[in-house]
Amino acid sequence: MFLNYKYLIIMRKLIYVFAVLFIFISSCNEKTKRENAMNKNPLLTEKFDTPFEVPPFSKIKNKHYLPAFKEAMKIQKEEIDAIVNNSDEPTFENTLVALDNSGALLDRVSNIFFNLKSADTNDSINQIAKEVSPLLSQHRDDIALNEGLFKRVKSVYDKKDELNLNTEQKMLLKKVYENFVRGGANLPENKKERFREINKKLSELTLKFGNNLLNENNAFELVIDKKEDLAGLPESVIAGAKETAEAKGYKNKWVFTLQKPSLIPFLTYSEKRPLREKIYKAYINRGDNNNENDNKNIIKQIVNLRLERANMLGFKTHADYILDVNMAKTPKNVFDLMYKVWKPALKVAKQEAADIQKMIDKEGGNFKVKPWDWWYYSEKIRKERYDLDEEALRPYFKLENVRNGMFLLANKLYGITFTPLKDVPVYHKDALVFEVKDADGSHIGIYYADYFPRESKKGGAWMTSFVKQSHRKGKDIKPIVMNVTNFSKPTGDKPSLLSFEEVETMFHEFGHALHGLLSECTYNTLSGTSVARDFVEMPSQVMENWASEPEMLKLYAKHYKTGEVIPDELIEKIQNSKHFNQGFITVEYTAAALLDMYWHTVSEKQDSLDVDKFENEVAEKIGLIPEIVFRYRSTNFAHIFSGGYAAGYYGYQWAAVLDADVFQAFKETGDIFNKDVATSFRKNILSKGGTDNPMNLYIKFRGKKPTPDALLKRKGFSE
């Protein structure tokens, strides 16, 4: 029996129609399922229905993060595929701009998640981070090693001289192309898989290093139950320790922790030398206790993997790889600068150590000065030599007054204002929110501030962004930036009263915030603080200069009880003592910067690496005196083994050369609030982000290249 031919034709057409219909319905169902999932997940909504589109923190639950990450990565993959599969000839717009526009959702999810992991973490967030970090590493490698995408980028790069691009466009093309090459795009196929493995492993190890350090910070408690063991400590410090003890469930006791607002006052004022030794050793030995939080084996793996990756890309060491795109360019240039500062600083530090030993001997102390003695005796020397007591300054540095002083400085320099906002979502009750407006009243961005330590927050101080400024996809995107610190908390009926070091830190981080807020860039890749590592600290460090200037102090340093402006007598003492202890401060920092460089100029795999031995050999090589320890020992050096400062910690010193010279530009006019200089600084530096070579930006502002002269003079090291 044979079927009718026409019938067969009809049946085939019907089958085809049904197949197309099935695909269409499946596609619609998939689209509907995706839309439903996105509507249920607050991280995946098209825009946040909040004031200024800040994150809706109260609606975001930990369960939302992993699905959001996976969906955001999926969407960026689709965006990348669309670029690769574009049949049109590669152009700057359809390749470079399209790539810069991609991943907006992933940026949003990542910024919220990782900012909260640093500022307000918990076990659930830490577990999610462990799961998502290798996924993100693989996702980034999928983009960096995408042959079709690199082919298009290279096609545009190869004809860059014919394209009539402006400076910002040239920099975007240069940076994207370099990132592909540095991300392994030119590697032969047989090496790309190993490259992926290295990146994945490094993401896991650096995360583990940071988690171990947080655990070590939280594990230590110096519990005091005898009043006599509080000898020498100011009342405010004792009150803070009492509150900490009560919060931890201790009755009639005092607890000191490794958080700086607890640690430093104890080392500075406690008369109990054995207790100073105990808390100091706990601090410097974090990650080096041969327990489940030990970081030595992690360091060994990180150093070897970074070296292997650098070698694969044609660099002798990891430092060569990192510095190739920084201002310094080579390890030699870094070492040259570091030792130029190191030698005079070490000479001063040795004299400071001798002065401390004299005081110990004068008081009848039968011992040699040790690192845990430095803060205690240097404070005594300061009081004796300059009649200046750090605790006498605190009443004039109420946190709110210092913050208002910073805002006033920003207004005097740039005309901008900060207005507190109440009905705006926050991720923690301690976080504050401000709207930032320009001189003409136009909206610039949103500024979050989170000042006090807690167990859910990592140590230190930093600036970060929930949203970076850009003109992504033609939309004028305003920045949402944040400063996070660990300052002295209010105690009893006293507000938060800052040490002068904390004041400088507040000004420093605010400088980073201004860099992000005042950005006026087109492309997300180049926006705000997206600049070379040894340039990014200059806009922050320059702000510290104003903190101690007499004209500035009179504007913000007011007694928290009486409102009295800081007296001229105290200002004079601050000025007279500004070079005091600079040997210690500079040696402690520079030693750590050199340690970082020596770790990352290792040029051969270290199979039997002994971390402590390596560190001791560096100390001996550079001539570090036994009275001073590296600012961060290797096992707790989060900047380089958990953060983004590997072979880059020197950047603070490099940037110090720049910032001293920048402030000199203001001083030369006789007006530290000179609006013309400030306008030039905003126009040529702060607004430009990474849109041009940093030295070009600097010369446009200053008219010349910087020299270390202003820095050495500021520190009191010049003749």
Side-chain angles (χ1 to χ4, degrees):
M1 182 178 174
F2 296 92
L3 291 173
N4 185 288
Y5 179 72
K6 288 184 178 180
Y7 178 75
L8 277 174
I9 296 291
I10 292 169
M11 288 297 293
R12 284 175 179 169
K13 286 183 177 179
L14 284 172
I15 291 170
Y16 175 76
V17 169
F18 280 125
V20 171
L21 188 60
F22 176 77
I23 293 170
F24 175 75
I25 292 171
S26 297
S27 175
C28 288
N29 286 340
E30 184 63 33
K31 184 180 179 183
T32 302
K33 281 162 75 175
R34 172 181 276 190
E35 287 175 349
N36 288 338
M38 292 178 80
N39 288 334
K40 288 179 181 178
N41 191 325
L43 288 165
L44 296 176
T45 55
E46 186 174 340
K47 60 180 280 189
F48 292 144
D49 185 20
T50 57
F52 307 103
E53 296 185 46
V54 304
F57 295 109
S58 63
K59 294 180 181 179
I60 300 170
K61 310 301 178 189
N62 289 348
K63 67 180 181 180
H64 294 134
Y65 285 118
L66 198 55
F69 269 115
K70 290 180 178 178
E71 180 64 22
M73 284 187 272
K74 186 176 180 181
I75 288 173
Q76 189 175 24
K77 183 181 184 304
E78 292 168 358
E79 293 168 336
I80 297 299
D81 288 345
I83 298 171
V84 174
N85 297 325
N86 189 337
S87 58
D88 293 340
E89 180 185 352
T91 66
F92 183 82
E93 285 293 325
N94 71 21
T95 302
L96 275 300
V97 175
L99 181 56
D100 185 70
N101 286 338
S102 77
L105 182 58
L106 183 57
D107 286 346
R108 173 207 280 183
V109 176
S110 297
N111 288 344
I112 295 171
F113 177 78
F114 286 107
N115 284 340
L116 265 60
K117 186 188 180 305
S118 295
D120 193 29
T121 194
N122 53 51
D123 290 342
S124 174
I125 285 179
N126 290 338
Q127 186 55 45
I128 294 167
K130 285 182 183 178
E131 194 168 343
V132 82
S133 288
L135 296 179
L136 286 170
S137 175
Q138 180 181 331
H139 176 73
R140 287 190 291 264
D141 283 343
D142 285 345
I143 295 173
L145 299 172
N146 186 312
E147 290 184 20
L149 183 60
F150 178 57
K151 186 177 179 181
R152 290 184 69 90
V153 170
K154 189 174 187 303
S155 173
V156 179
Y157 184 80
D158 287 344
K159 56 187 179 187
K160 59 183 180 295
D161 295 335
E162 308 163 21
L163 299 179
N164 195 30
L165 301 177
N166 64 32
T167 301
E168 185 174 3
Q169 291 170 329
K170 288 177 182 176
M171 184 55 76
L172 179 67
L173 179 56
K174 178 178 184 292
K175 190 167 185 177
V176 170
Y177 178 77
E178 284 179 349
N179 285 346
F180 269 98
V181 174
R182 292 166 64 79
N186 274 337
L187 289 174
E189 278 305 312
N190 62 348
K191 289 189 176 182
K192 285 183 179 178
E193 192 54 40
R194 176 57 183 162
F195 194 82
R196 286 176 180 272
E197 290 173 6
I198 291 172
N199 286 339
K200 179 182 177 183
K201 187 64 176 173
L202 282 171
S203 73
E204 294 168 349
L205 289 168
T206 53
L207 182 68
K208 176 66 173 167
F209 185 102
N211 287 340
N212 285 350
L213 185 53
L214 182 63
N215 291 339
E216 290 276 273
N217 282 334
N218 291 336
F220 177 83
E221 296 173 351
L222 177 61
V223 182
I224 292 178
D225 53 13
K226 298 175 184 175
K227 273 194 172 182
E228 55 265 33
D229 284 340
L230 301 171
L233 297 173
E235 280 304 315
S236 60
V237 175
I238 294 172
K242 186 77 169 175
E243 287 190 5
T244 301
E246 289 171 355
K248 291 177 175 287
Y250 293 102
K251 290 185 178 180
N252 301 318
K253 296 185 192 311
W254 299 264
V255 171
F256 293 88
T257 70
L258 299 183
Q259 296 282 3
K260 286 290 183 73
S262 180
L263 170 75
I264 299 301
F266 192 88
L267 290 173
T268 303
Y269 298 106
S270 174
E271 296 176 5
K272 300 297 180 179
R273 189 169 187 252
L275 294 180
R276 294 202 309 269
E277 179 181 1
K278 182 177 181 180
I279 196 170
Y280 181 81
K281 285 185 172 179
Y283 179 75
I284 65 167
N285 289 327
R286 291 169 300 158
D288 190 17
N289 293 308
N290 299 316
N291 56 17
E292 66 275 12
N293 295 317
D294 197 273
N295 277 330
K296 291 193 289 292
N297 186 51
I298 291 176
I299 290 172
K300 175 182 174 180
Q301 294 179 73
I302 289 174
V303 169
N304 283 328
L305 288 169
R306 284 175 175 169
L307 173 62
E308 183 181 354
R309 183 176 62 185
N311 289 164
M312 289 176 74
L313 295 172
F315 294 96
K316 181 181 178 182
T317 70
H318 183 69
D320 287 283
Y321 164 66
I322 292 295
L323 297 171
D324 188 53
V325 292
N326 280 359
M327 290 184 77
K329 294 302 177 190
T330 68
K332 181 182 183 301
N333 290 339
V334 173
F335 280 120
D336 285 349
L337 175 67
M338 289 296 101
Y339 280 115
K340 194 173 287 185
V341 175
W342 175 258
K343 290 174 183 176
L346 188 61
K347 180 180 177 182
V348 174
K350 287 178 179 178
Q351 183 56 55
E352 291 170 353
D355 291 344
I356 288 174
Q357 190 63 54
K358 283 179 186 176
M359 175 162 276
I360 292 171
D361 296 342
K362 186 173 75 173
E363 291 186 351
N366 189 25
F367 57 85
K368 291 287 185 185
V369 58
K370 296 288 185 182
W372 50 89
D373 297 315
W374 196 288
W375 279 269
Y376 180 71
Y377 285 100
S378 64
E379 181 63 18
K380 282 191 166 194
I381 291 172
R382 175 160 54 181
K383 287 177 73 173
E384 181 182 84
R385 191 173 295 173
Y386 303 102
D387 191 24
L388 181 62
D389 179 358
E390 178 74 33
E391 286 301 301
L393 294 177
R394 280 185 187 267
Y396 294 96
F397 297 133
K398 178 183 174 183
L399 184 147
E400 290 78 6
N401 289 346
V402 177
R403 184 183 67 229
N404 292 340
M406 290 187 327
F407 292 168
L408 178 60
L409 174 60
N411 179 258
K412 290 176 80 67
L413 294 175
Y414 310 117
I416 64 177
T417 59
F418 290 74
T419 304
L421 301 174
K422 294 297 182 187
D423 299 320
V424 174
V426 294
Y427 60 89
H428 190 277
K429 62 181 179 61
D430 286 350
L432 306 172
V433 196
F434 301 84
E435 182 186 6
V436 189
K437 293 181 180 179
D438 216 332
D440 61 3
S442 60
H443 177 77
I444 288 179
I446 295 295
Y447 173 69
Y448 278 80
D450 178 3
Y451 293 121
F452 304 124
R454 51 182 174 265
E455 290 192 356
S456 62
K457 183 193 286 189
K458 75 175 187 179
W462 62 95
M463 170 268 177
T464 185
S465 301
F466 286 114
V467 177
K468 289 172 61 180
Q469 177 275 333
S470 72
H471 289 274
R472 211 171 200 171
K473 297 183 179 178
K475 182 182 176 184
D476 184 13
I477 297 173
K478 300 299 186 182
I480 301 174
V481 309
M482 178 167 71
N483 278 158
V484 187
T485 60
N486 284 274
F487 291 152
S488 304
K489 298 174 73 171
T491 56
D493 60 349
K494 282 187 177 181
S496 171
L497 301 176
L498 305 183
S499 68
F500 191 67
E501 182 182 2
E502 289 174 320
V503 171
E504 290 181 315
T505 298
M506 184 183 268
F507 273 73
H508 175 105
E509 297 305 334
F510 186 60
H512 281 308
L514 290 176
H515 198 184
L517 286 164
L518 299 180
S519 172
E520 296 177 17
C521 303
T522 303
Y523 307 112
N524 181 70
T525 303
L526 305 176
S527 172
T529 57
S530 301
V531 299
R533 179 63 72 186
D534 47 11
F535 190 64
V536 75
E537 295 300 335
M538 184 272 282
S540 57
Q541 288 177 190
V542 74
M543 291 297 289
E544 295 180 42
N545 288 277
W546 276 276
S548 60
E549 286 293 311
E551 301 100 307
M552 188 66 213
L553 283 164
K554 285 180 177 293
L555 294 176
Y556 77 90
K558 300 174 183 177
H559 198 283
Y560 79 98
K561 281 186 177 178
T562 66
E564 171 202 10
V565 174
I566 189 169
D568 291 338
E569 177 190 356
L570 271 182
I571 292 178
E572 187 178 350
K573 289 177 181 178
I574 292 172
Q575 295 301 306
N576 291 340
S577 65
K578 65 166 47 175
H579 293 156
F580 177 72
N581 212 33
Q582 277 298 315
F584 169 81
I585 292 168
T586 309
V587 162
E588 186 194 41
Y589 162 77
T590 310
L594 287 167
L595 177 62
D596 169 33
M597 286 302 297
Y598 279 113
W599 271 123
H600 292 109
T601 48
V602 167
S603 57
E604 293 182 4
K605 185 179 179 183
Q606 307 291 305
D607 291 317
S608 56
L609 178 65
D610 184 324
V611 170
D612 291 340
K613 182 182 177 185
F614 182 95
E615 188 178 281
N616 290 335
E617 287 173 349
V618 171
E620 186 176 348
K621 182 184 298 184
I622 66 178
L624 181 62
I625 58 178
E627 297 88 347
I628 300 178
V629 175
F630 297 101
R631 184 174 189 178
Y632 300 107
R633 288 196 53 234
S634 302
T635 56
N636 47 68
F637 207 160
H639 284 78
I640 67 170
F641 292 122
S642 185
Y645 279 79
Y649 194 65
Y650 77 91
Y652 291 95
Q653 198 76 278
W654 188 278
V657 171
L658 304 177
D659 92 67
D661 194 51
V662 168
F663 194 64
Q664 187 63 26
F666 284 90
K667 299 282 277 188
E668 287 168 2
T669 69
D671 177 12
I672 62 170
F673 305 117
N674 187 287
K675 284 191 178 294
D676 290 337
V677 179
T679 299
S680 176
F681 188 65
R682 176 178 179 174
K683 176 185 175 183
N684 292 304
I685 304 288
L686 298 180
S687 72
K688 294 298 185 182
T691 60
D692 197 356
N693 179 289
M695 189 57 79
N696 291 344
L697 295 177
Y698 188 85
I699 292 172
K700 283 176 184 176
F701 163 70
R702 194 67 168 105
K704 64 182 181 66
K705 288 187 176 182
T707 67
D709 299 348
L711 173 64
L712 295 174
K713 182 179 179 181
R714 185 174 71 187
K715 286 183 170 293
F717 296 160
S718 56
E719 295 300 327

